[in-house]
């Protein structure tokens, strides 16, 4: 699932994607929904990063019971948008015509539907990092 999305969703011309993978990245998940989650996080990182800066994707399967996905970019989410970033139509897009503002909301719904958690950290100094923690077996699986 992870590799396919990274191969099918190329970054913008002036963006390098740095990927690190650790451990076993397998789990009992809906592959279509996880593809949608990673696609939404990548598009968000591409759209909101500082110009000519990379995007980092970290996949950590070193734990026996969960996998962690992190997507980082060098942009910042303003403090007024941060508390509502996962709400529909509230993503804080600079240009509303670029999308519907549903990507992060859908991502959160995919994660919670798999029994996982998603959070965001953002500051001028550290950039923006979305952290997804997924149990290897979803509640429905």
């Amino acid at each position: 699932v992870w590799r396919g999305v990274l191969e099918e969703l190329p970054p913008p011309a002036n963006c390098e994607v740095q990927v690190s993978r650790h451990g076993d990245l397998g789990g009992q998940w809906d592959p279509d929904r996880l593809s949608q989650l990673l696609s939404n996080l990548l598009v968000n990182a591409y759209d909101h990063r500082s110009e000519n800066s990379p995007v980092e994707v970290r996949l950590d399967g070193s734990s026996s019971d969960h996998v962690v996905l992190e997507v980082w970019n060098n942009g910042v989410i303003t403090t007024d948008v941060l508390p509502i970033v996962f709400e529909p139509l509230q993503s804080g897009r600079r240009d509303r015509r670029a999308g519907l503002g549903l990507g992060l909301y859908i991502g959160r719904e995919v994660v919670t539907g798999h029994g996982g958690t998603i959070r965001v950290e953002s500051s001028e100094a550290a950039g923006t990092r979305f952290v997804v923690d997924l149990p290897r077996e979803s509640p429905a699986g």
Side-chain angles (χ1 to χ4, degrees), residues 18-92:
Q18 301 166 350
V19 180
S20 65
R21 298 175 180 95
H22 304 283
D24 174 12
L25 301 177
Q28 298 297 314
W29 307 302
D30 179 330
D32 292 334
R33 296 297 70 83
L34 283 192
S35 294
Q36 185 176 25
L37 166 66
L38 183 53
S39 292
N40 290 352
L41 290 175
L42 281 173
V43 167
N44 185 72
Y46 295 162
D47 287 350
H48 296 284
R49 68 189 171 83
S50 299
E51 193 171 344
N52 296 318
S53 66
V55 167
E56 294 177 8
V57 176
R58 182 176 166 263
L59 295 157
D60 185 353
S62 57
S63 172
S64 63
D65 61 347
H66 66 267
V67 173
V68 176
L69 161 67
E70 295 183 20
V71 177
W72 174 88
N73 68 284
N74 197 26
V76 65
I77 300 172
T78 59
T79 56
D80 60 321
V81 173
L82 199 55
I84 57 171
V85 75
F86 293 109
E87 297 305 316
L89 308 174
Q90 301 295 322
S91 67

